[in-house]
Amino acid sequence: MSLIDALNWRYAVKKMNGQPVEQDKVDQIIKAAQLAPTSSGLQPFKVIVITNQELKEQILPIAYNQSQVVAASHLLVFAAQENYTEEGIDEVFDRMNTERGLPLDTTDAYKAQLKGMVLSRSAEENFHHAAKQAYLAFGVAIAQAALLKVDHTPMEGFDASKLDELLGLNEKHLKSVTLLPLGNRDENGDWLANLKKVRTPLNEFVIAYK
């Protein structure tokens, strides 16, 4: 199945049947998120995987009682760093150079330039930047899930501050930005399951300069 076919197949599932998703498929979705592009390769976010049913029940009201949260096999939480730090940037580039068999000072000039730009911004600006990087991985995870025919529901509708408190993300200097329940659609109970996918026509969607 091509990516276009997969994206035509997928939709934001409104009701799941509670059946489990194979762990191998979940692992591939998470791996795709890990391999997603990010600015300067900093990967300023984490993917939190929740399968504990009791914890999902606690998250349900935080996510405005969207039933997919508890009916999902796996609930993925994409959480961005609240800020960048000099130590964090050093860690990324030290790992990069070590894995590539290069001296640690190979990227010193670029790293100094990056620090000068990033560390001069406010924490709020850096969080928004980190959240954008999390969204890149979120989109790649959605595409991989579609290719594997794993149903899912991209979610922004939740109280992030309450979820952060519940999961102890504040202590980890993280803030939740999106949710991705993974599961199996309930075709008989989901009003959206058999409706036509509608998008802006390409001739309106694309603005071409020739």
Side-chain angles (χ1 to χ4, degrees):
M1 182 167 58
S2 72
L3 179 57
I4 297 299
D5 289 338
L7 293 176
N8 272 312
W9 170 84
R10 72 153 300 277
Y11 73 103
V13 173
K14 301 305 179 187
K15 188 173 182 181
M16 295 181 175
N17 61 17
Q19 294 301 307
V21 175
E22 297 94 324
Q23 186 61 47
D24 175 64
K25 291 183 177 181
V26 176
D27 291 342
Q28 291 182 65
I29 293 165
I30 294 168
K31 186 65 177 178
Q34 182 206 19
L35 292 172
T38 62
S39 179
S40 297
L42 292 176
Q43 292 184 288
F45 57 90
K46 303 293 183 186
V47 178
I48 299 155
V49 184
I50 300 171
T51 57
N52 182 281
Q53 196 63 28
E54 182 179 340
L55 182 54
K56 287 189 286 181
E57 293 283 354
Q58 291 178 272
I59 294 171
L60 180 62
I62 293 173
Y64 307 123
N65 295 310
Q66 296 178 82
S67 65
Q68 305 95 313
V69 167
V70 291
S73 170
H74 296 69
L75 177 62
L76 307 188
V77 180
F78 287 73
Q81 289 178 196
E82 62 183 13
N83 202 353
Y84 291 105
T85 65
E86 184 169 5
E87 295 76 17
I89 293 171
D90 285 339
E91 183 180 347
V92 168
F93 282 91
D94 286 352
R95 180 188 301 116
M96 189 183 299
N97 290 322
T98 299
E99 291 287 336
R100 291 172 174 171
L102 299 172
L104 293 182
D105 61 3
T106 300
T107 51
D108 277 359
Y110 178 78
K111 189 169 64 172
Q113 182 183 20
L114 180 64
K115 287 180 180 179
M117 178 180 64
V118 170
L119 300 180
S120 65
R121 298 188 303 221
S122 69
E124 182 180 7
E125 288 176 304
N126 278 336
F127 168 69
H128 285 304
H129 184 266
K132 290 178 182 178
Q133 312 315 305
Y135 269 95
L136 287 172
F138 185 61
V140 171
I142 288 168
Q144 181 63 46
L147 281 168
L148 295 171
K149 284 204 163 184
V150 173
D151 287 309
H152 50 278
T153 311
M155 285 185 181
E156 292 181 304
F158 64 98
D159 188 321
S161 61
K162 289 183 179 178
L163 183 60
D164 295 348
E165 182 179 359
L166 176 65
L167 299 179
L169 298 186
N170 300 316
E171 291 78 7
K172 297 178 173 65
H173 306 291
L174 296 168
K175 295 181 179 180
S176 54
V177 291
T178 56
L179 304 180
L180 188 63
L182 303 175
N184 290 282
R185 66 185 70 176
D186 179 353
E187 293 196 23
N188 294 324
D190 189 343
W191 62 269
L192 191 56
N194 297 307
L195 294 183
K196 179 182 179 180
K197 181 183 287 290
V198 179
R199 293 292 187 270
T200 303
L202 271 176
N203 63 344
E204 298 178 26
F205 181 73
V206 176
I207 300 174
Y209 290 84
K210 297 183 180 179

